[in-house]
Amino acid sequence: MPALAIGAEDFTGLLQRADAMKSVNPVEFVRLLDNLHEQQTQLSESQREHLQYLQGWRHAYAGEYAAAIPLLESIVDKASDPTLQFRAGSTATNVRALSAQYEGAFLQLNKLLNKLPEVTDQDARLQGMSVAADLYVLVGEYDLGIHYAEQVVKENARGRGVCRGEQIRLDALCKSKRITADNPDLQTAVNACLSQGESLAANAIRTTQARLFLREHRLDEAIALLERHYGEVEQSRYPRGISEWESLMAQAYQQRGSGNVAQRLALRSVEHSVKDQFTQPLVGAYRVLYEEAEKHGDIANAIAYLKKSARADKAYLDDVTARQLAYERVKSNTLSAKSQIEALNQENKLLQLQRELDSKAAETSRLYIALLMLVVVFIALWAYRTKRSQLHFMKLSQVDSLTGISNRPRFIQLAEGVLENARKSQQQASVVLCDLDHFKAINDRCGHAAGDHVLRQAVMACQTHLRVSDIFGRVGGEEFGIVLPGCGLEDAKQRAERLRQALSSIDPMFEGERCPVSASFGVTSTEISGYELRQLLAHADAALYRAKAAGRDRVMPFDGALADKPAVAIGEALRNVGHA
């Protein structure tokens, strides 16, 4: 399309027009940007900076985060307009969070919040506070997120604050389980967004309501809502939003029994997902594809989708941990920096006092010594606090935050050390994999709080039967690994049986809901599988699949005769296993 002839005085108006419609009419926004780009040699320096900001925003909207960040941060460093700098910093912060660069996002957020009192432009303030609210909700700081969202609503810049602020507030209330699908605030917020032409934000609120319908098992209402606005979501050309919408539709149709429709929508959700981004909607889409393939006897695709689902689920859990650790690390470093500044201020004051007191003989000497001791104590206390923070975060990086036992990387590290010692001393060791039965059903029926309760109770039950020398870790969502040094296969089977009985004895009641607990176990030992951890885990996993296939709630040792045919064993297990 040829560029339109534009007078120099019209460029500013076109840039403002493009800025105003970037989330309202993406097609027109792109057309204007392409037209301005072709004539950028005629733009002033400030107009080129504004165009560069909009180009960065365009890349971010399309999920092209690697291209967006350099454009936006160049504006933060070099732009002549402080308001444009602040807006670019806000967008860059949001893009860093979307691309899992969490530490950079929270560092940038601290800078934005420090500058916020000086910002007078209403749109820029709305954007900065919205980003803060989004990031705090992202790390589970729901009350902080709601606080900033309510500030956005209160200031209501150009009438847009109610829409944007309510979108974030309702999302936080949904994630913290403080709202139901019938809450009238949902429709009020949608109407506020539509009155401003913000269909993207309106559909984000509808996504929240659809999640609530699914949580409350109101499938027909969820499907009706999602189908009614599916066309609008597709027209938005926002990959992340389209993928989440289609994943929710796939899950709703599958729960209603429309497997073919669910499969088609799940494939679309995977296709629209942002490359190398592992989100809850992607995990849900792969789970639908795996379950439908298994239901139709398509074992090859079932195995492939199961692996993709497990990989996406692990990556998502790792991402949740990474964002929380980044938030805590930045918060700790910020407090540490403030302590250092306070220490330097105190030291400067002390030096000033020292100069004033130099003229006094004995009294000055005594006071100087006292002040010096105070400085030493202050520095020692600061060093102690810093060291404690370092040890705290080192422990966080090695421990599963929900259950308090080793996480997967720490479990693998400890297990490899134990196996190496066993190999050198020619002692036996065994590996046990434990997977809770029907855990997804507990989450779906009773909620994630019940699921978390079951996981914690399961860990406590197992720990009463484990030795200090045993290695115990959470290696997946509901899967646990155990390394038993000095144990042969028979001894390991007996100990696994005691663990199985302990899990079966857990009180099944949680907040009035019955959540029966049982688990399947796969066991192998170094005398069968050798001392390589990867091989031991593979054999224990194969035995675990056999336990699932045999009816669950049992202990199954690895059959050495199948050592050369793991794929066959897994395939046979999948043919007979229902949902875990």
Side-chain angles (χ1 to χ4, degrees):
M1 179 177 179
L4 299 174
I6 304 174
E9 68 278 3
D10 295 328
F11 283 125
T12 297
L14 283 176
L15 285 164
Q16 291 173 347
R17 181 182 169 196
D19 205 338
M21 67 172 50
K22 59 184 182 294
S23 62
V24 177
N25 189 341
V27 176
E28 178 66 9
F29 171 66
V30 169
R31 188 191 69 80
L32 281 173
L33 241 60
D34 288 341
N35 192 19
L36 286 163
H37 179 72
E38 291 179 16
Q39 302 186 68
Q40 62 179 324
T41 55
Q42 302 177 45
L43 271 61
S44 67
E45 183 63 27
S46 62
Q47 288 170 340
R48 281 197 293 273
E49 289 171 351
H50 196 173
L51 176 60
Q52 182 177 329
Y53 165 70
L54 294 176
Q55 288 169 331
W57 196 95
R58 174 183 178 179
H59 283 301
Y61 187 83
E64 299 163 355
Y65 304 134
I69 290 174
L71 288 173
L72 294 167
E73 294 193 340
S74 173
I75 297 297
V76 174
D77 294 336
K78 300 177 182 178
S80 55
D81 180 5
T83 298
L84 186 62
Q85 281 183 317
F86 185 84
R87 294 184 64 200
S90 299
T91 305
T93 301
N94 191 43
V95 175
R96 281 194 176 277
L98 290 173
S99 58
Q101 300 178 37
Y102 298 117
E103 191 156 348
F106 285 111
L107 286 171
Q108 183 67 31
L109 178 64
N110 284 343
K111 295 177 183 177
L112 291 174
L113 293 179
N114 288 334
K115 290 181 180 178
L116 187 62
E118 305 168 11
V119 177
T120 57
D121 183 87
Q122 287 187 329
D123 289 328
R125 288 182 60 82
L126 179 146
Q127 188 176 358
M129 290 188 293
S130 297
V131 168
D134 273 330
L135 260 65
Y136 284 128
V137 172
L138 187 67
V139 293
E141 295 285 349
Y142 299 121
D143 290 334
L144 263 177
I146 290 171
H147 165 74
Y148 279 102
E150 289 174 344
Q151 286 295 109
V152 171
V153 173
K154 182 179 179 182
E155 294 194 12
N156 197 23
R158 293 200 295 126
R160 296 169 58 232
V162 173
C163 167
R164 183 69 178 116
E166 283 295 277
Q167 175 195 338
I168 302 171
R169 186 183 74 88
L170 292 167
D171 178 52
L173 292 174
C174 172
K175 288 175 178 175
S176 57
K177 297 185 178 180
R178 289 184 257 174
I179 192 173
T180 65
D182 293 325
N183 191 297
D185 289 351
L186 290 159
Q187 189 57 50
T188 301
V190 167
N191 293 339
C193 292
L194 293 177
S195 70
Q196 294 293 316
E198 294 282 357
S199 60
L200 191 69
N203 284 325
I205 298 167
R206 289 169 178 147
T207 301
T208 298
Q209 188 171 33
R211 289 204 306 266
L212 291 167
F213 278 136
L214 286 177
R215 182 188 294 171
E216 296 165 18
H217 305 289
R218 297 161 66 177
L219 303 179
D220 290 340
E221 292 168 275
I223 290 171
L225 174 65
L226 293 166
E227 286 286 6
R228 186 161 58 248
H229 300 285
Y230 185 28
E232 298 171 29
V233 173
E234 287 185 304
Q235 289 175 4
S236 72
R237 300 187 181 183
Y238 182 44
R240 199 180 186 98
I242 296 171
S243 177
E244 181 174 9
W245 197 275
E246 290 167 339
S247 178
L248 287 172
M249 291 175 71
Q251 293 172 58
Y253 273 113
Q254 185 191 44
Q255 291 177 38
R256 200 173 70 171
S258 303
N260 291 333
V261 178
Q263 191 175 34
R264 174 169 51 82
L265 288 164
L267 286 169
R268 286 188 186 174
S269 176
V270 172
E271 180 184 348
H272 285 123
S273 63
V274 179
K275 185 179 179 182
D276 298 327
Q277 294 283 303
F278 296 97
T279 60
Q280 271 188 314
L282 182 61
V283 174
Y286 276 135
R287 190 72 188 181
V288 169
L289 291 170
Y290 154 63
E291 291 173 354
E292 290 304 314
E294 183 189 33
K295 188 186 301 179
H296 290 92
D298 186 356
I299 301 305
N301 274 330
I303 293 174
Y305 285 130
L306 178 61
K307 288 179 179 178
K308 289 180 179 179
S309 173
R311 186 166 70 92
D313 188 43
K314 179 186 178 301
Y316 173 70
L317 291 173
D318 289 345
D319 184 71
V320 171
T321 301
R323 72 178 73 144
Q324 291 172 336
L325 282 174
Y327 170 67
E328 293 295 340
R329 191 181 297 116
V330 170
K331 184 169 73 170
S332 174
N333 289 342
T334 302
L335 291 174
S336 178
K338 288 181 179 178
S339 297
Q340 289 181 359
I341 292 171
E342 290 175 6
L344 289 172
N345 288 337
Q346 290 295 328
E347 189 173 353
N348 287 334
K349 290 179 181 179
L350 292 172
L351 289 172
Q352 184 179 358
L353 285 173
Q354 180 186 343
R355 286 193 296 269
E356 292 175 357
L357 295 173
D358 277 343
S359 59
K360 298 181 181 180
E363 183 182 354
T364 300
S365 298
R366 289 193 297 270
L367 185 57
Y368 175 80
I369 293 171
L371 293 172
L372 187 60
M373 289 178 64
L374 180 62
V375 171
V376 170
V377 170
F378 187 88
I379 293 173
L381 286 172
W382 173 79
Y384 170 73
R385 287 179 58 190
T386 302
K387 186 64 177 177
R388 234 174 74 173
S389 294
Q390 291 172 344
L391 293 173
H392 173 67
F393 288 115
M394 183 180 297
K395 182 178 179 182
L396 280 178
S397 69
Q398 298 175 345
V399 172
D400 176 60
S401 59
L402 177 64
T403 61
I405 61 176
S406 296
N407 59 19
R408 183 184 181 89
R410 181 60 173 167
F411 171 80
I412 291 173
Q413 179 188 22
L414 294 174
E416 287 178 338
V418 167
L419 291 170
E420 179 61 17
N421 290 335
R423 184 187 65 78
K424 289 178 179 178
S425 60
Q426 290 300 299
Q427 291 186 350
Q428 295 183 5
S430 295
V431 170
V432 179
L433 283 182
C434 162
D435 190 273
L436 299 183
D437 298 327
H438 303 296
F439 185 76
K440 181 177 182 298
I442 293 175
N443 272 334
D444 291 345
R445 189 178 70 254
C446 306
H448 288 282
D452 291 348
H453 172 75
V454 167
L455 288 171
R456 286 191 290 265
Q457 292 299 308
V459 167
M460 291 171 61
C462 288
Q463 284 175 325
T464 61
H465 294 277
L466 294 176
R467 303 169 301 182
V468 175
S469 59
D470 296 336
I471 308 301
F472 185 32
R474 184 181 179 191
V475 298
E478 66 270 19
E479 188 172 9
F480 301 91
I482 305 167
V483 178
L484 304 173
C487 281
L489 185 63
E490 288 301 316
D491 190 15
K493 284 164 53 181
Q494 293 175 12
R495 295 190 62 192
E497 179 60 25
R498 289 198 291 273
L499 293 175
R500 185 194 68 77
Q501 294 172 3
L503 292 176
S504 298
S505 301
I506 292 174
D507 183 1
M509 300 306 295
F510 175 72
E511 295 184 356
E513 292 283 344
R514 182 173 175 78
C515 306
V517 182
S518 68
S520 302
F521 291 78
V523 183
T524 190
S525 71
T526 54
E527 58 191 306
I528 295 175
S529 307
Y531 290 91
E532 185 181 355
L533 178 60
R534 181 178 178 183
Q535 187 72 11
L536 284 158
L537 288 173
H539 287 177
D541 195 49
L544 175 60
Y545 271 113
R546 288 178 58 212
K548 292 281 187 183
R552 299 186 176 84
D553 192 17
R554 64 195 63 228
V555 176
M556 190 70 71
F558 177 70
D559 185 353
L562 297 178
D564 297 328
K565 299 183 289 181
V568 174
I570 292 172
E572 283 298 317
L574 273 173
R575 292 186 183 95
N576 298 293
V577 175
H579 303 325

